[in-house]
Amino acid sequence: MALPSQTQVLIVGAGAAGLMCAAMAGARGRAVVVIDHANKVGKKILMSGGGRCNFTNMEVLPKNYLSDNAHFCKSALARYTQWDFIALVQKHHIPYHEKKLGQLFCDNKAQDILSMLLDECAQAGADIYTLCDIEQVASLPESDLPMRYKVKTSQGTIYCESLVVATGGLSIPTMGATGAGYELAEQFGLPLKPRTAGLVPFTLSPAQLAVFSPCVGNALDVSVSCETASGQVSFSEAMLFTHRGFSGPAMLQISSYWQPGKELEINLLPHLHLFDFLTEQQKVRPKVLLTTMVGELLTKNIAQCLCDYWGAQWNGNRPINQYTHAELQLIAAQFHEWKIMPAGTEGYRTAEVTLGGVDTHHLSSKTMEAKTQPGLFFIGEVVDVTGHLGGFNFQWAWASGAAAAAYV
Ligand SMILES: Cc1cc2nc3c(=O)[nH]c(=O)nc-3n(C[C@H](O)[C@H](O)[C@H](O)COP(=O)(O)OP(=O)(O)OC[C@H]3O[C@@H](n4cnc5c(N)ncnc54)[C@H](O)[C@@H]3O)c2cc1C
């Protein structure tokens, strides 16, 4: 199928936001063309949620999003809610379940969500062209209205009334991520907020890795926090020791707030008052070794490794009745307030999202249209709105796509 020479709506990027926008704009009766440079559409949907796509969350609140403009996401999220998306999923008879913390996943596979979006696009008459890259975009003079943009692609030139940029972020370049959306924003004078990898595992220095290598593969529930310009942020979930550093939901969440050169503070026993516990144990089980006792609370490997690492502070591993109160306080403080400076993060190679992006102060929160560039819309991850882990990024893709679809 050859690319048409003109359309009312041209959407660049057939990912979550682009496909949602295409289906809804098409359903309004608009002629829609979607182009994507990749060989297949929706690759990130397919790899999401471990292949089961955490497609939304039962409780979506503005506080689940990071942005330089905290209010921007509210309008779109209020007009296309998680319940709207769940209704769509139910209409397509896709089985799903809540895994934890309101996170909704497909029972079967993420392909169900992609097939649903493609079905909706087909029903709405939206045409999708893969292996089609944008090469050049120019805005047209008033005399050419209603056409506003001329887009040169690798499959020919196409004129459109509305141009929707849904090119996503920079994470996982091997899945088709490019900076094309950001370049388009800059071309049309829209500033960008600094971009960094978010929801990404931490790396440790070689010296730190050597110390913690016995813990690799071990996971535990922690509370992790870091300082930000607007105060301390913390998350309570699982962390995982990896060959490169720290991962797991708690670490991915805090990575979106962490600044290089800052420490993380990890409470390894968030559900226990360790000092009280150990003083009680001095009476109940006086001869049991400290590492054995901590090993019952954490894993054996983690307890041994950390007690070896910190042990000099409290004169090594001994039966619990041999520790002074001051030493027990030191031990408790170490496990409850472990301060560690990561070397960095794994970066875009493994990040789930890109923080920052098109400055929302220059977009309409109602329509997603650029305030100074009529007919140019930005939706999804390319915009400076980034969700927490848990289905919030897809909900932003659906909501911002739906918002633009009503006005393109
Ligand atoms: C491993 C992984 C797991 C994830 N799991 C979840 C999850 O379970 N739940 C959740 O909410 N979020 C998850 N996310 C985040 C979520 O996938 C994204 O936030 C979401 O896909 C963003 O949607 P989007 O449409 O803006 O961008 P994308 O879905 O990335 O789509 C952008 C599209 O634009 C195309 N494109 C890029 N450049 C060009 C160009 N120059 N020309 C033409 N086309 C172009 C790309 O090929 C792509 O198809 C995950 C991300 C990753 C990487």
Side-chain angles (χ1 to χ4, degrees):
M1 189 168 54
L3 192 74
S5 61
Q6 64 174 62
T7 183
Q8 288 176 316
V9 182
L10 178 65
I11 300 175
V12 187
L19 292 175
M20 174 55 99
C21 185
M24 292 188 71
R28 269 180 61 224
R30 302 288 283 163
V32 180
V33 167
V34 190
I35 61 170
D36 200 298
H37 73 144
N39 58 343
K40 284 190 196 138
V41 301
K43 285 190 185 183
K44 276 197 189 157
I45 298 175
L46 293 179
M47 74 188 301
S48 67
R52 289 229 164 89
C53 187
N54 177 195
F55 55 79
T56 193
N57 194 291
M58 305 243 273
E59 196 177 3
V60 176
L61 296 169
K63 72 168 183 167
N64 298 121
Y65 293 88
L66 293 92
S67 172
D68 186 54
N69 178 1
H71 301 294
F72 182 82
C73 64
K74 292 180 181 172
S75 170
L77 290 172
R79 282 174 295 136
Y80 189 90
T81 70
Q82 64 274 38
W83 308 114
D84 293 314
F85 194 78
I86 293 166
L88 186 62
V89 168
Q90 288 172 345
K91 186 180 116 187
H92 285 257
H93 306 292
I94 297 172
Y96 65 92
H97 61 278
E98 180 188 352
K99 197 167 171 193
K100 58 172 182 175
L101 304 169
Q103 301 167 5
L104 300 186
F105 284 75
C106 296
D107 285 357
N108 300 323
K109 45 194 178 350
Q111 179 67 54
D112 289 351
I113 297 294
L114 181 56
S115 301
M116 173 188 87
L117 293 168
L118 293 175
D119 266 12
E120 290 283 319
C121 284
Q123 274 173 40
D127 292 326
I128 303 168
Y129 296 80
T130 51
L131 295 170
C132 185
D133 209 347
I134 35 166
E135 291 172 352
Q136 209 177 34
V137 178
S139 62
L140 299 169
E142 292 266 307
S143 54
D144 285 350
L145 282 174
M147 293 299 156
R148 286 191 191 275
Y149 294 94
K150 176 184 175 184
V151 180
K152 209 169 140 205
T153 80
S154 53
Q155 294 184 20
T157 297
I158 177 165
Y159 290 79
C160 62
E161 296 175 18
S162 295
L163 178 60
V164 183
V165 182
T167 45
L170 296 168
S171 62
I172 326 258
T174 47
M175 286 290 129
T178 71
Y182 306 117
E183 286 159 28
L184 267 173
E186 284 188 314
Q187 180 189 335
F188 289 102
L190 278 81
L192 301 176
K193 288 290 164 190
R195 287 148 296 153
T196 47
L199 299 180
V200 62
F202 287 104
T203 55
L204 295 176
S205 69
Q208 289 168 321
L209 287 177
V211 172
F212 304 123
S213 63
C215 305
V216 169
N218 285 231
L220 71 166
D221 282 333
V222 301
S223 170
V224 58
S225 51
C226 72
E227 282 300 329
T228 71
S230 46
Q232 212 181 34
V233 176
S234 59
F235 290 94
S236 296
E237 273 202 70
M239 81 172 263
L240 172 72
F241 287 85
T242 73
H243 287 288
R244 294 195 179 85
F246 300 146
S247 189
M251 292 297 160
L252 298 183
Q253 297 279 35
I254 203 80
S255 73
S256 294
Y257 291 87
W258 176 78
Q259 295 292 322
K262 296 272 185 196
E263 285 178 330
L264 296 175
E265 186 176 305
I266 306 172
N267 183 348
L268 292 163
L269 289 162
H271 306 300
L272 184 87
H273 197 291
L274 186 58
F275 176 77
D276 289 354
F277 175 79
L278 293 177
T279 44
E280 177 65 21
Q281 294 303 309
Q282 284 189 317
K283 294 175 219 144
V284 185
R285 298 190 291 168
K287 302 286 175 218
V288 177
L289 288 171
L290 174 70
T291 44
T292 311
M293 211 156 265
V294 178
E296 291 166 4
L297 303 171
L298 303 167
T299 70
K300 204 170 143 215
N301 286 356
I302 295 176
Q304 188 66 54
C305 172
L306 294 180
C307 286
D308 287 351
Y309 182 47
W310 294 325
Q313 294 176 59
W314 50 74
N315 299 317
N317 188 27
R318 289 171 284 148
I320 199 71
N321 65 342
Q322 293 183 13
Y323 291 94
T324 64
H325 267 206
E327 285 171 333
L328 291 187
Q329 253 150 4
L330 260 176
I331 294 167
Q334 201 47 273
F335 281 91
H336 285 309
E337 295 158 32
W338 177 19
K339 293 188 181 59
I340 180 157
M341 174 99 73
T345 72
E346 291 187 9
Y348 292 121
R349 191 179 60 80
T350 57
E352 283 202 11
V353 285
T354 302
L355 295 155
V358 178
D359 186 345
T360 55
H361 294 96
H362 295 256
L363 301 177
S364 155
S365 60
K366 189 174 167 198
T367 65
M368 303 291 135
E369 189 175 18
K371 286 179 182 167
T372 51
Q373 195 61 44
L376 182 63
F377 298 75
F378 290 85
I379 58 173
E381 200 180 316
V382 72
V383 177
D384 172 31
V385 173
T386 309
H388 288 170
L389 191 77
F392 301 102
N393 284 296
F394 278 135
Q395 189 57 39
W396 171 246
W398 318 136
S400 58
Y407 295 91
V408 287

